[in-house]
Amino acid sequence: MDPSDQKHFTVVDYVIFAVLLAASMAIGLYYALSGGRQRTTQEFLMADRSMGCLPVSLSLIASFQSAVAIIGVPAEIYTHGTQYWFIGCAYILGLIIPAHVFIPVLYRLRISSAYQYLELRFSKTVRICGTLTFIFQMVIYMGVCVYTPAFALNAVTGFELWGTVLATGLVCTLYTTLGGLKAVIWTDVFQTVVMFAGQLAVIVVGVLRTGGVSEVWRKVWEGNRIAGLDLNPDPTERHTFWTLGVGGIFLMLSLYGVNQAQVQRYLSSRTEKEAVRSCYMVFPSLQLALALSCVMGLVMFARYCGEDHSDKLGSSSRDAMVVYFVMDMLQGLPGLPGLFVACLFSAALSTISSAFNSLATVTMEDLIKPHFPAMTEARATLLSKVLAMSYGLLCLAMAYLTHLMGDSVLQVALKIFGMVGGPILGLFCLGMFFPWANSIGAVAGLGAGLTVSFWIGVGSIVTRTSGMKPLPPDCRVALLSNDTTAAIQTALSNVTLSRPSGLKRFYSLSYMWYSGFNCFTVILIGLIISFITGPMKEEDVTPGTIYPLLGKLLCFLPEHLKKKLCCVTPLGQTLAPPQRSSPPQHKESNGLVGASQEEMESFLPEAPFVEYETAV
Ligand SMILES: CC(C)(CO)[C@@H](O)C(=O)NCCC(=O)O
Ligand code: NA
């Protein structure tokens, strides 16, 4: 093992790290042995629909806040300045819209998988297409999540790369498989706290060792790292207020509105109110998480700018550099390097466990149950556990794929969310907001959305115009005299002035617009195809699956015109409580909170679907 390992890690550090893993396992065991002992899919996958808003909200942040953000955001701030911080603006609408549009519709349908919605609204085919797209998205995302902390630690401390990947995957698979969603949510709570503690420790030590807050501020100011609001409307500009603050809303909607990992948490809430409240409570914590990682980037800049570390590191990766800086900064403070490693792994474990559990849920609910309606509850639960475990193993394989990529990890993760999550968001929006959309339109829209998204995504990789400005290899330039800096900046802006044209310009769309653009493509193509093949009629749409968005936006129009334009009449009423009992095919998930054992045993998955698809 690398000698630097000993330099950074003392016994206390190993103990702290071991405590994290042991506590996570213990929570898993606790929920395996208490409550209903994970003997029903209702408990294993839905936490008995009994969760309160505090654990749910912390768990909601944990789902998509992984080591990728802990390492990637400081790397981004260190290299490009604080412009990325403006993504915080997108959190406002990005959480209000899920709370008041997606949660009410999905919660009132009493479903278990978000993709059940697609069957209720469109058809079985659309549901399966949606599910498969989601599985694809989460499996590649998981690869990035497992790989990132392992890679960074390996580069700096000499921890065995694949050993770390294996350990993360195994611990996580174990407690997820043992304790089900309850264990996943409660470990998330614990791990989120560890994550914040680790980041805070790094910042405090960093500020103290740099010479105080005012010194840090002076250095980042002189180093040009504080960015003003960039209102450049160019959609190919990587980070501007528009790409981050507006494009980011769609990114947030695809994660917090329709992603199964999050929807499952909303659905596991005791009441709809509790679910909405937990969504609101995400806002301050998510802002805190963003602020901590941005400030960490700034502190690192203040402390290290001008020093060249790539020779010691043997890697030019900015992500590995962040871990190097942190370890260097915490040197000689026993326990803190261990806390930071625990912070990285908390972030990773909480994301991977959510992914495992949500993948097991959709595979069970959407792909298996509908085909084996006679399966017993015991068998279904066993199968869910086997599924959670198989996805664990699959994610190890995916980590290897990420190993072969080598972009900034933050950008890779956000690109996956945009390229695959964007079209899924489009599918849900098409269903919820546009009553005319039919299932042919939905499938065609999703297909077109994915095609265009991969066309741009792969195109941007091939032509290497990710919109990233060429920057000097290290930030020494920032500390040179103002003249030199100005000269270099002019040179840089000249580079960006020679804009690519035609297809290349299309490929250089900022990755922050991927979600919004792909969502829009799905809706557009979906509507066109629906109108060609015969739009859905009002009486054919399952009640409770439409959100009267158009009606609300056009509230100034007279009633008869609105009715004509929006097709569905009972606009105001579509969301009224009566839905609770309406979809007959959801026996398995109906009010099981206090259900008796017999009711559990006799549950019948997916009765044949009501014929409503006449629009074709
Ligand atoms: C997804 C957002 C923007 C939501 O806050 C943020 O958590 C983030 O940048 N996440 C990166 C992906 C990850 O941490 O795995
Ligand atoms: Na996480």
Side-chain angles (χ1 to χ4, degrees):
M1 208 178 254
D2 194 307
S4 61
D5 192 14
Q6 273 98 48
K7 186 179 86 184
H8 294 297
F9 260 60
T10 63
V11 181
V12 193
D13 297 302
Y14 284 110
V15 169
I16 290 183
F17 186 51
V19 166
L20 167 76
L21 296 185
S24 305
M25 286 298 304
I27 295 176
L29 267 178
Y30 176 78
Y31 285 103
L33 301 174
S34 68
R37 300 200 194 157
Q38 310 297 331
R39 278 183 300 211
T40 60
T41 43
Q42 269 305 307
E43 183 178 13
F44 186 72
L45 303 175
M46 290 278 106
D48 286 334
R49 299 186 194 263
S50 62
M51 300 304 296
C53 60
L54 187 73
V56 169
S57 73
L58 285 175
S59 178
L60 284 169
I61 317 165
S63 305
F64 294 108
Q65 194 72 18
S66 75
V68 171
I70 309 267
I71 298 177
V73 174
E76 163 67 31
I77 303 287
Y78 187 95
T79 327
H80 302 279
T82 54
Q83 189 67 226
Y84 179 79
W85 204 332
F86 285 109
I87 198 174
C89 302
Y91 294 174
I92 305 170
L93 281 178
L95 289 168
I96 290 183
I97 298 175
H100 294 288
V101 176
F102 293 102
I103 294 182
V105 172
L106 296 173
Y107 196 92
R108 287 170 201 189
L109 289 170
R110 302 298 286 170
I111 49 187
S112 308
S113 146
Y115 306 96
Q116 255 167 303
Y117 168 84
L118 295 176
E119 179 167 349
L120 289 171
R121 172 64 181 84
F122 297 112
S123 67
K124 222 169 208 123
T125 319
V126 180
R127 175 179 182 177
I128 291 175
C129 293
T131 306
L132 292 177
T133 315
F134 169 76
I135 292 178
F136 177 64
Q137 175 190 2
M138 292 308 267
V139 166
I140 38 178
Y141 172 55
M142 259 187 338
V144 188
C145 285
V146 181
Y147 177 74
T148 304
F151 161 75
L153 272 184
N154 172 262
V156 178
T157 65
F159 267 46
E160 177 58 44
L161 175 67
W162 295 105
T164 317
V165 167
L166 212 67
T168 324
L170 284 183
V171 168
C172 199
T173 309
L174 264 174
Y175 74 72
T176 313
T177 314
L178 284 175
L181 187 63
K182 285 181 188 167
V184 171
I185 291 182
W186 282 107
T187 46
D188 280 358
V189 171
F190 166 68
Q191 289 160 348
T192 306
V193 173
V194 175
M195 184 179 90
F196 283 146
Q199 287 183 297
L200 205 61
V202 172
I203 291 172
V204 170
V205 172
V207 169
L208 290 178
R209 294 205 158 170
T210 315
V213 175
S214 53
E215 187 63 13
V216 170
W217 177 255
R218 190 184 64 80
K219 286 193 171 153
V220 296
W221 182 256
E222 283 173 5
N224 270 323
R225 280 305 173 272
I226 305 297
L229 201 59
D230 182 353
L231 290 174
N232 184 351
D234 183 355
T236 65
E237 197 67 36
R238 201 173 70 101
H239 286 167
T240 63
F241 172 73
W242 307 113
T243 64
L244 291 161
V246 181
I249 294 175
F250 293 92
L251 174 76
M252 288 293 291
L253 290 184
S254 83
L255 294 177
Y256 284 82
V258 303
N259 190 295
Q260 172 65 18
Q262 309 297 62
V263 171
Q264 202 167 333
R265 279 159 179 70
Y266 302 138
L267 297 175
S268 75
S269 301
R270 225 175 282 142
T271 59
E272 182 188 327
K273 229 188 187 142
E274 240 15 42
V276 172
R277 195 177 296 156
S278 63
C279 192
Y280 269 94
M281 281 162 64
V282 166
F283 183 77
S285 334
L286 206 52
Q287 291 291 359
L288 176 67
L290 179 67
L292 284 177
S293 45
C294 289
V295 170
M296 195 165 130
L298 290 178
V299 170
M300 271 180 358
F301 183 85
R303 191 163 158 75
Y304 290 100
C305 192
E307 294 175 29
D308 191 3
H309 288 270
S310 49
D311 52 333
K312 287 180 230 161
L313 205 53
S315 157
S316 59
S317 155
R318 296 276 164 196
D319 302 316
M321 196 180 67
V322 168
V323 179
Y324 179 87
F325 284 166
V326 170
M327 289 302 177
D328 185 46
M329 212 139 61
L330 300 180
Q331 215 181 309
L333 297 167
L336 287 186
L339 181 61
F340 182 69
V341 171
C343 156
L344 284 185
F345 278 82
S346 291
L349 286 173
S350 56
T351 299
I352 300 158
S353 58
S354 311
F356 284 170
N357 197 273
S358 61
L359 283 167
T361 308
V362 297
T363 313
M364 194 64 215
E365 299 288 331
D366 299 322
L367 301 181
I368 298 179
K369 266 189 189 174
H371 296 282
F372 300 94
M375 194 189 298
T376 63
E377 184 62 28
R379 186 162 285 236
T381 310
L382 178 69
L383 195 56
S384 305
K385 291 179 184 170
V386 172
L387 283 171
M389 183 168 293
S390 333
Y391 277 115
L393 299 177
L394 184 60
C395 108
L396 295 182
M398 283 300 131
Y400 187 70
L401 260 187
T402 315
H403 179 62
L404 301 177
M405 290 218 281
D407 200 341
S408 128
V409 285
L410 181 65
Q411 199 155 314
V412 171
L414 297 183
K415 270 187 180 173
I416 296 171
F417 293 155
M419 284 169 64
V420 199
I424 301 180
L425 174 66
L427 195 56
F428 276 86
C429 291
L430 182 69
M432 271 183 206
F433 306 142
F434 303 93
W436 320 280
N438 65 27
S439 81
I440 299 184
V443 173
L446 180 65
L450 285 170
T451 310
V452 173
S453 123
F454 275 82
W455 181 14
I456 300 188
V458 174
S460 83
I461 296 170
V462 174
T463 54
R464 296 206 172 278
T465 50
S466 57
M468 185 106 64
K469 275 186 196 163
L471 269 164
D474 61 52
C475 56
R476 238 172 308 176
V477 58
L479 287 186
L480 296 176
S481 71
N482 280 342
D483 288 353
T484 330
T485 318
I488 287 172
Q489 265 166 359
T490 323
L492 285 179
S493 56
N494 283 344
V495 172
T496 28
L497 272 182
S498 57
R499 286 230 184 85
S501 54
L503 262 186
K504 275 213 173 140
R505 182 153 168 76
F506 176 60
Y507 294 147
S508 61
L509 180 72
S510 165
Y511 75 103
M512 283 302 301
W513 277 121
Y514 282 6
S515 291
F517 180 77
N518 295 329
C519 170
F520 179 76
T521 313
V522 172
I523 295 176
L524 186 72
I525 304 292
L527 283 178
I528 292 175
I529 302 288
S530 295
F531 279 114
I532 292 175
T533 55
M536 200 93 150
K537 289 187 200 70
E538 182 184 342
E539 58 272 24
D540 300 329
V541 179
T542 315
T545 55
I546 303 284
Y547 182 90
L549 179 76
L550 293 177
K552 289 200 173 174
L553 290 180
L554 302 174
C555 55
F556 52 88
L557 287 184
E559 209 54 45
H560 67 279
L561 252 177
K562 249 197 315 195
K563 192 176 150 188
K564 206 166 179 181
L565 275 171
C566 310
C567 148
V568 174
T569 341
L571 280 177
Q573 285 101 51
T574 344
L575 277 178
Q579 259 80 44
R580 206 155 281 271
S581 55
S582 65
Q585 62 283 8
H586 283 99
K587 237 184 168 168
E588 96 245 41
S589 51
N590 253 339
L592 279 188
V593 184
S596 70
Q597 197 58 35
E598 290 100 278
E599 276 175 292
M600 292 289 198
E601 306 284 8
S602 69
F603 95 109
L604 272 180
E606 300 308 293
F609 205 69
V610 202
E611 286 295 342
Y612 58 81
E613 225 185 319
T614 49
V616 186

